[in-house]
Amino acid sequence: MKIGIVTVYDSANFGSYLQAFALWRMLTEMGHDARFIVNEHPDVPYRRQFYHYPVSRRSLRHPINVLREYRDGRVRCRAFEKELARFPLMDMKDVGMLDRVILGSDEIWNVTMRCFKSPFYYGKGMPRRMTYAVSAGRAEISDFDQFPELRELMRGASPLLVRDRHTAEVVEGITGQRTKIVCDPTLLLSVSEFTAELHDPYLEGHKYILVYSYPGYFTEQAVTYIRQFAKEEHLSIVSACFYLPWADYVLNCSPMEFCEALTGASYVFTTTFHGTIFSILNHRQFISMPSGIKVTQILDTLGQKSAMFERDDSYQDFVRKMKTPRNYKETDRKIEQLRKEGREALADALAGKEESHE
């Protein structure tokens, strides 16, 4: 079967790439010819997500910081482009040849974000649309009131396989169709699929705690705890991809290299959905400070709520959560069940066995 995928596969975001890779790999393993449909009018070209031209007013005020960010961004972009090259792409003009179009996963139906107000992410002009693990993020039904075209496009997709309970409520409220909650694509594959050779002298020479979060998500309390913990445990603080002034080292790597760096970490601290998932898949000692409800829900679903950082946690709580050995036996059982259900739901949908009804 020829399948087109509509998702954010080329964002400067580890999670976006990894979920795209996982869905594409799953489809190819099922014997399908899967390709990513190119968004002809992206909100921001992906290279600009990694780096900006250094000539600007800010450059004049902070030239050293800006040049460092520019240099590091170029390094990350080159690493990303090597992995991006594995994806087969197709233009919108060729979508008529497709047997199916899958919208998702990721938050491509989150209209509170400017880039996801585009009809492209709802399958405009595409045949036989369905969804897999699509998410509306924090968008509410009322947020779609000013987008009648998007609401109509959502109604035309079937079946509707969504990633979380909130999205199920939003999509069912708009479309009047039943939905089915399925796991994120990254849970469909064995963790061994997410590998890349990583030869970094700094990581090879240090024990480290890996921190992964977008700048601005760390609280002062969290930073204090991480720094104190690293000092007591004689660890270096390694930040994956983002410059943090309190980190000892910034690892400018690709998404697959990030997965490899995570496997070598003594401990992990993250705020992100996929940072949490890959900490769990790799059986790490980790703490997750949820940046949104989706992170809280995945911790709950996989039985790892004890790893959640609470705002009123003391430093002693932090150390206990970070160092207490985790029981991954039950978590692995839950992942296997989610994987089985997700693969079956995807296969049934492609075979026409999972049609939604009004």
Side-chain angles (χ1 to χ4, degrees), residues 66-106:
V66 170
L67 287 172
R68 184 200 65 243
E69 291 173 6
Y70 179 78
R71 178 202 63 197
D72 290 352
R74 290 293 297 269
V75 172
R76 290 196 298 271
C77 189
R78 286 195 294 269
F80 177 79
E81 287 178 329
K82 289 181 180 179
E83 291 187 359
L84 191 63
R86 79 175 76 204
F87 288 160
L89 309 179
M90 68 179 304
D91 296 329
M92 269 294 297
K93 64 180 176 61
D94 297 321
V95 297
M97 63 177 281
L98 295 172
D99 301 303
R100 250 328 191 165
V101 171
I102 299 178
L103 309 176
S105 63
D106 223 340

Side-chain angles (χ1 to χ4, degrees), residues 35-283:
R35 299 171 180 271
F36 293 94
I37 301 174
V38 176
N39 183 359
E40 297 171 339
H41 305 288
D43 186 54
V44 179
Y46 78 86
R47 289 187 180 87
R48 294 283 76 79
Q49 298 176 46
F50 285 99
Y51 59 88
H52 298 277
Y53 295 113
V55 179
S56 67
R57 291 183 179 180
R58 180 168 173 262
S59 302
L60 298 177
R61 294 195 301 269
H62 308 285
I64 295 177
N65 287 346
V66 170
L67 287 172
R68 184 200 65 243
E69 291 173 6
Y70 179 78
R71 178 202 63 197
D72 290 352
R74 290 293 297 269
V75 172
R76 290 196 298 271
C77 189
R78 286 195 294 269
F80 177 79
E81 287 178 329
K82 289 181 180 179
E83 291 187 359
L84 191 63
R86 79 175 76 204
F87 288 160
L89 309 179
M90 68 179 304
D91 296 329
M92 269 294 297
K93 64 180 176 61
D94 297 321
V95 297
M97 63 177 281
L98 295 172
D99 301 303
R100 250 328 191 165
V101 171
I102 299 178
L103 309 176
S105 63
D106 223 340
E107 294 188 18
I108 62 170
W109 283 4
N110 182 359
V111 289
T112 66
M113 299 180 67
R114 185 179 66 180
C115 58
F116 296 137
K117 296 175 182 179
S118 168
F120 171 79
Y121 291 108
Y122 301 79
K124 184 176 182 179
M126 304 175 198
R128 299 200 64 204
R129 292 170 287 121
M130 59 170 281
T131 70
Y132 183 85
V134 72
S135 175
R138 63 185 64 188
E140 302 289 346
I141 294 177
S142 59
D143 292 318
F144 287 86
D145 289 347
Q146 58 182 309
F147 302 104
E149 181 182 23
L150 303 187
R151 294 170 68 98
E152 191 60 31
L153 287 168
M154 292 168 74
R155 294 188 186 102
S158 177
L160 295 167
L161 307 179
V162 302
R163 196 174 71 180
D164 54 80
R165 293 188 296 273
H166 174 70
T167 299
E169 293 171 1
V170 170
V171 173
E172 289 179 4
I174 291 173
T175 67
Q177 299 180 39
R178 292 196 301 269
T179 64
K180 183 171 186 175
I181 298 175
V182 292
C183 66
D184 186 80
T186 54
L187 294 176
L188 294 175
L189 301 179
S190 165
V191 70
S192 62
E193 298 265 11
F194 303 95
T195 58
E197 289 189 11
L198 176 62
H199 301 292
D200 187 284
Y202 188 91
L203 298 190
E204 293 169 0
H206 294 80
K207 290 179 61 179
Y208 59 94
I209 176 172
L210 186 74
V211 294
Y212 178 54
S213 175
Y214 304 111
Y217 279 87
F218 287 103
T219 63
E220 184 176 340
Q221 175 195 33
V223 173
T224 299
Y225 288 178
I226 293 168
R227 295 182 68 182
Q228 184 174 343
F229 181 77
K231 182 178 180 180
E232 292 176 357
E233 297 296 318
H234 306 289
L235 302 168
S236 292
I237 301 173
V238 174
S239 174
C241 270
F242 298 107
Y243 172 74
L244 300 172
W246 45 274
D248 298 303
Y249 182 68
V250 177
L251 176 65
N252 294 310
C253 61
S254 71
M256 291 298 192
E257 289 172 338
F258 161 72
C259 296
E260 201 69 13
L262 192 146
T263 64
S266 299
Y267 301 93
V268 179
F269 187 96
T270 186
T271 68
T272 76
F273 180 71
H274 286 102
T276 300
I277 285 180
F278 278 91
S279 294
I280 293 171
L281 287 175
N282 285 285
H283 292 188

